[in-house]
Amino acid sequence: MPLKLTILGSGSAVPVLGRGVTAQFLNINERRFLIDCGEGTQLQLRRFKVKFQRIQAIFISHLHGDHFLGIFGLVSSMSLLGRTKKLQIYGPEGLEEIVRHQFKLAQVYLSFELEFVTLSCKDKTLVFEDASIQIFALPLKHRIECYGFLFIEKQDELKIDKDKIQEYQLSLVEILQAKRGETIQRENETILAEQVTLPLEEPCSYAYCTDTRPIAKLPAWIKGARLLYHEATFTQKHNDRAKATGHSTAADAATIAKEAQVARLLLGHFSTRYKYTDEFKIEAQPIFENVTCVEDGDVFYV
Ligand SMILES: [Zn+2]
Ligand SMILES: [Zn+2]
């Protein structure tokens, strides 16, 4: 499977027994990322059997403690356990300063290179790309600078429709051109790649959006994502709290999912004032049917 998501922490603000603060582990096309790193994340990684030395980069949404306080412990443990592979950390302005300052004052010399990528964008922006995936930062609307992330599998080359090889008498050179999406130009004929190739399957994609007020632009940015995690800190009965604290309700998240026409919605970042998550689902489902309230340890595949 190209994408596997493990929920390491699904709560907000303070970790409680049974629900850690925000962190997720994502394996997309064998690229391994940690998304947010609340306090206690390294124990959650152990608990849910994720090999954390294989993480190549950490993406931090914002500098509220429930999203990044676990970094110091995790990075320290990686070093104590002898990591040599470089680790990248993507996050907003200030994250590098905080982390480096901590290690400097404690006179910690890491066993590996720590590379920071500071995010700063006002629109959807490509921040990582390799041969098989792309990652975009999505500027969210919270009380402080905050980013969501969109992970997308890159499409392989197009597949030739075998019946068309005969029909158009395609040469090997022309087949390769069509596979690359190029137009075939003959002396008296133009053949578009889509005339001789099969329609592309939807690429595997995952959008992660926390913490944020509902954003009008978001559905366009994440259109058709196969999986969306959107925060639902509150339900509508606490809509005033949601507005005042820069968060969303279950109904807000479901509306975004519907407008973005995603395949599946995951809700999380629940306020500890709610004992059960049923009421989030009851509120979201009439708006967007394929919705799940996540628990720590849940695993989702695309
Ligand atoms: Zn939070
Ligand atoms: Zn926050």
Side-chain angles (χ1 to χ4, degrees):
M1 86 298 300
L3 190 153
K4 179 183 176 187
L5 177 74
T6 306
I7 306 296
L8 302 166
S10 53
S12 68
V14 287
V16 291
L17 289 174
R19 202 180 285 281
V21 281
T22 303
Q24 302 185 353
F25 175 73
L26 178 71
N27 180 331
I28 176 168
N29 276 352
E30 298 306 307
R31 273 63 171 166
R32 293 166 176 83
F33 304 112
L34 184 66
I35 313 170
D36 276 335
C37 187
E39 182 190 343
T41 295
Q42 63 168 315
L43 281 177
Q44 296 291 75
L45 286 161
R46 285 187 188 277
R47 189 171 158 210
F48 302 123
K49 304 200 167 19
V50 177
K51 293 189 172 96
F52 59 64
Q53 295 289 32
R54 297 175 77 180
I55 291 167
Q56 72 179 71
I58 302 176
F59 289 81
I60 298 294
S61 60
H62 66 302
L63 297 185
H64 282 156
D66 54 331
H67 297 261
F68 88 102
L69 287 180
I71 277 208
F72 310 102
L74 178 63
V75 170
S76 297
S77 294
M78 283 174 165
S79 181
L80 289 169
L81 295 170
R83 181 182 178 114
T84 52
K85 200 170 82 177
K86 180 172 88 174
L87 178 72
Q88 286 188 307
I89 302 181
Y90 290 73
E93 174 98 54
L95 180 63
E96 175 169 15
E97 191 185 338
I98 298 172
V99 175
R100 293 218 191 273
H101 200 60
Q102 149 69 20
F103 291 130
K104 187 180 152 204
L105 292 182
Q107 298 182 20
V108 168
Y109 302 99
L110 297 176
S111 63
F112 59 93
E113 183 192 345
L114 205 52
E115 182 189 295
F116 284 84
V117 179
T118 298
L119 303 171
S120 175
C121 57
K122 297 250 177 324
D123 210 332
K124 177 182 175 181
T125 300
L126 182 71
V127 293
F128 176 91
E129 182 167 27
D130 69 8
S132 76
I133 62 159
Q134 288 181 319
I135 304 173
F136 294 87
L138 313 169
L140 302 179
K141 286 200 171 84
H142 193 37
R143 304 198 300 283
I144 57 172
E145 187 181 3
C146 184
Y147 297 96
F149 301 101
L150 174 66
F151 301 81
I152 306 182
E153 170 195 39
K154 271 196 196 168
Q155 297 280 19
D156 290 336
E157 58 184 12
L158 297 165
K159 290 193 174 68
I160 287 284
D161 183 344
K162 293 211 170 78
D163 295 339
K164 306 288 180 182
I165 298 178
Q166 273 294 328
E167 189 184 327
Y168 286 90
Q169 293 290 308
L170 294 175
S171 70
L172 184 59
V173 173
E174 289 172 337
I175 289 172
L176 293 175
Q177 276 183 306
K179 279 184 165 184
R180 291 194 296 267
E182 296 167 12
T183 300
I184 299 163
Q185 199 63 58
R186 289 174 174 171
E187 212 170 329
N188 303 313
E189 192 180 18
T190 300
I191 304 168
L192 300 174
E194 54 259 42
Q195 289 175 257
V196 295
T197 55
L198 297 168
L200 278 176
E201 285 175 23
E202 278 294 312
C204 199
S205 56
Y206 173 53
Y208 170 86
C209 301
T210 197
D211 301 9
T212 188
R213 297 184 175 95
I215 297 177
K217 273 187 184 173
L218 191 59
W221 285 342
I222 62 170
K223 199 89 189 165
R226 301 280 289 277
L227 190 62
L228 164 65
Y229 172 90
H230 195 290
E231 72 127 292
T233 310
F234 301 101
T235 58
Q236 281 298 108
K237 74 178 176 204
H238 293 119
N239 195 22
D240 289 351
R241 284 296 299 155
K243 284 210 169 83
T245 56
H247 286 295
S248 298
T249 65
D252 292 332
T255 304
I256 297 281
K258 185 182 169 193
E259 287 174 6
Q261 297 173 298
V262 302
R264 185 173 189 184
L265 170 65
L266 307 178
L267 297 180
H269 198 265
F270 308 115
S271 162
T272 48
R273 77 185 64 212
Y274 301 92
K275 209 165 171 197
Y276 304 103
T277 57
D278 305 18
E279 52 190 305
F280 290 87
K281 188 162 181 171
I282 289 167
E283 182 174 299
Q285 208 153 35
I287 304 166
F288 186 84
E289 203 183 344
N290 194 2
V291 58
T292 304
C293 295
V294 304
E295 301 292 332
D296 295 6
D298 280 354
V299 176
F300 301 94
Y301 296 94
V302 176

